[in-house]
Each structure stands twice: as C-alpha cells, then as structure tokens.
Amino acid sequence: MPYRPMVGSVFGGLQRGSHDPTHQRCGSGWLRASRTPEGPVLLRVSPTADGVHGRAWGAGAEWALDQLPALFGADDDPTSFRPRHSVLQEAVRRLPDLRLGSTGLVFEALAPSIIEQKVTGLEAYGAFRRLVTRYGEPAPGPARQQGSAAYGMRLPPDPRTWATIPSWRFLQLGLESTRSRALVGAARRGSALERLAGRSAADADRGLRSLPGIGAWTSAEVRQRTHGDADAWSIGDYHVGKDITWALTGEVLDDDACTEILEPYRGHRYRVQVLLGMMGLHRPRRAPRMTLPTHTPYAMGLSSDR
C-alpha cells in the first residue's frame, strides 16, 4: 500500500464501546469477531513495518483476509479533497495515511447503529454488550480457548436471531420498543440488506432509509463502516454538527448551518468529520450532559441480566 494503514483508527471506528465483546485490543493489534457471507470469523490484525498482518479462524477466514485491503481503505481516494480551512490543512499534514475503510457487512453495522439512536453512548454500548453476550455465539478459534487473549469474545447475533428476540427481553436488556421494533424490522430484511454492500453508497442510502425507523443519521453511520463513504457525515447527531461548526468557525451552530459550511467539501464531508475528531477538536462542553433514561427495567435495577 502507498500509505501505512492506521489500525487503531479503523478498529476504533468499528468497536462499540470499550467493553464490546466483538472487538478487543491485543497488544499493538486488534481482534474482531464477525459474521461474513462465508460464515463466522475471528480476525486478528497487527501493524507491521510495511502494512498489516492478518490471521483468521473460522469458516469466514478466507473472506475476511481477502477483505483486509478494503477494510484498511484501499478503495478510498482522498486525492480530490481540498481543505480550505487551516485546521483541516493541518489535519491532513499530520494524518497523511488516513483512509476510510469498508467492511462490506451491512447488517453488522446496522444493528448497533439502531441501538445507538437518540441515546447516550454509554446506554447504547451497554445494551449492545448485554444483547450480544446473551444472544451471540462464541467466536471461533482462540475465542474458545481459556488463556487466550481472545477468550470469551462473541459473534454478533445473526439477523434471524435478532428477529426472534421478544420485546420484553429487549426492554429488560435496555432497549425500548421504538428501537427494538426498528431492529427487528430490519433483521427480517437481513438478506436483502446485505446485497446493499455491492451497491453504490447512494443506493445503499435509499435502501436503508426505506425501512421504518431508519433515517439519515442511522444510514450515515452504516455507510461510514460498510462502504467507507467519505461523504456520509453524521447529520442529526447530538454532538457532531456542533463540533464541526465550532472547529471550522469558532461558533457552535446547528445542523443546517453545518450542512452549509460543509457544502464545499461535498464528497468528503465525513472525511472532514473524521479528521477533526482525530485532531481532538471538540467544542467546550458547558451545557448540561445528556442523562441516561430511567424507564427501562435494566436502568431501574429490575433486570436479572447484570
């Protein structure tokens, strides 16, 4: 590769919280448990002097290793990106190897993105962890070997499993009915959704947003990961638009203003978001923090799944 893959950046964008049972740091590398079109896989990736080294276990091993170049941004082309703002010029100078990777796995990205709708990251990550722990299977290879760094890692549930989880169990584990209905509805279209991986990002956006409960934010969060869509900025996010406008103008503005400011970067608006985030450019947090909900059985301490 003509660039050095940024392993931590790629896997950090795929991991759903520090206790995600499907992702784990392993020395200087990462472990990832996933479901590929060929079957389950446990993938281990470590940086090397001239790229990355991958090893995989399970029926999906060959598919996952073949996907490694795309996962680390081989299909991403930043050459048309022309930063106008000095902070972005500096970010490009400091991060010349940044590439946006693609997993090619649509439902794997969609399920946790639905869980993260309109709640704090802490709540969403906790619900995802509990659901995967209960309904996911042990990952292959070292994940089943006591003493291994991967021991205990789990595969995310497949769409059929998501679709059969009862509503009361979702609620018990921290997911209220609005999000669980959207998740079950999407799971019932799991096979059709996976075909979106081979379509353009624009087609994937239309396909995703045709589903009940899937809007612009959720579609963007999926396309960022599945397609490496450099334009799929997280519109509608509680923080992102405010952080971008503050970083580029010094003012905290809404999403409409952010959309206008980002227009010259159309085609690379998500790249702008990533670059600013990796530079640590977040607005000062003076407003009250979002609070965790208290209406679910898990939040009230009534769940037995702790």
Side-chain angles (χ1 to χ4, degrees):
M1 293 181 178
Y3 58 93
R4 186 172 182 178
M6 300 176 68
V7 175
S9 172
V10 169
F11 281 94
L14 298 174
Q15 184 182 32
R16 307 292 182 150
S18 58
H19 300 291
D20 179 352
T22 69
H23 287 81
Q24 187 168 297
R25 288 293 301 268
C26 182
S28 61
W30 283 80
L31 290 156
R32 167 174 161 81
S34 184
R35 292 185 183 275
T36 79
E38 301 300 324
V41 65
L42 177 69
L43 175 67
R44 178 172 180 167
V45 176
S46 302
T48 66
D50 56 354
V52 295
H53 174 265
R55 186 178 179 187
W57 297 263
E62 184 175 354
W63 188 95
L65 293 174
D66 287 345
Q67 179 72 15
L68 273 184
L71 183 64
F72 288 101
D75 299 328
D76 181 32
D77 183 7
T79 56
S80 62
F81 180 55
R82 298 287 185 271
R84 303 182 179 192
H85 294 80
S86 59
V87 292
L88 289 172
Q89 293 168 358
E90 178 64 12
V92 170
R93 186 187 72 79
R94 293 192 189 184
L95 302 166
D97 292 327
L98 177 68
R99 297 294 186 276
L100 304 176
S102 54
T103 66
L105 300 171
V106 175
F107 192 80
E108 178 186 272
L110 178 57
S113 296
I114 292 173
I115 292 171
E116 292 170 14
Q117 290 176 346
K118 299 180 180 179
V119 295
T120 66
L122 182 62
E123 183 199 2
Y125 295 155
F128 180 70
R129 181 184 70 251
R130 292 188 291 272
L131 285 160
V132 171
T133 299
R134 171 167 282 272
Y135 292 104
E137 303 167 30
R144 304 184 183 213
Q145 300 168 3
Q146 290 192 17
S148 166
Y151 182 67
M153 291 185 66
R154 301 186 76 80
L155 298 163
D158 60 21
R160 180 177 298 180
T161 300
W162 282 116
T164 58
I165 299 174
S167 58
W168 63 266
R169 179 65 78 179
F170 274 121
L171 187 62
Q172 186 184 54
L173 297 180
L175 201 68
E176 93 299 324
S177 60
T178 300
R179 288 179 291 155
S180 66
R181 280 197 302 268
L183 179 49
V184 169
R188 290 172 177 164
R189 299 279 305 277
S191 297
L193 287 169
E194 289 304 337
R195 291 195 287 273
L196 295 177
R199 307 287 294 275
S200 69
D203 284 346
D205 182 38
R206 284 189 288 271
L208 288 164
R209 293 174 69 177
S210 70
L211 298 174
I214 309 301
W217 180 87
T218 306
S219 173
E221 292 291 309
V222 172
R223 289 178 288 120
Q224 292 164 7
R225 295 167 172 86
T226 62
H227 288 71
D229 186 350
D231 202 45
W233 78 283
S234 301
I235 187 169
D237 190 273
Y238 184 79
H239 298 293
V240 170
K242 299 179 180 69
D243 287 343
I244 291 175
T245 55
W246 178 82
L248 297 183
T249 72
E251 298 181 80
V252 177
L253 304 172
D254 63 16
D255 273 8
D256 288 340
C258 189
T259 299
E260 183 176 348
I261 291 165
L262 287 176
E263 182 58 32
Y265 297 115
R266 180 172 289 274
H268 295 279
R269 292 176 293 183
Y270 177 54
R271 193 182 310 280
V272 170
Q273 176 183 327
V274 173
L275 285 167
L276 295 176
M278 293 189 68
M279 292 286 284
L281 296 173
H282 305 287
R283 74 192 190 284
R285 303 291 169 85
R286 300 189 182 90
R289 292 179 178 267
M290 291 181 68
T291 57
L292 294 175
T294 58
H295 63 282
T296 66
Y298 193 88
M300 293 187 291
L302 301 179
S303 171
S304 61
D305 296 88
R306 299 189 182 188

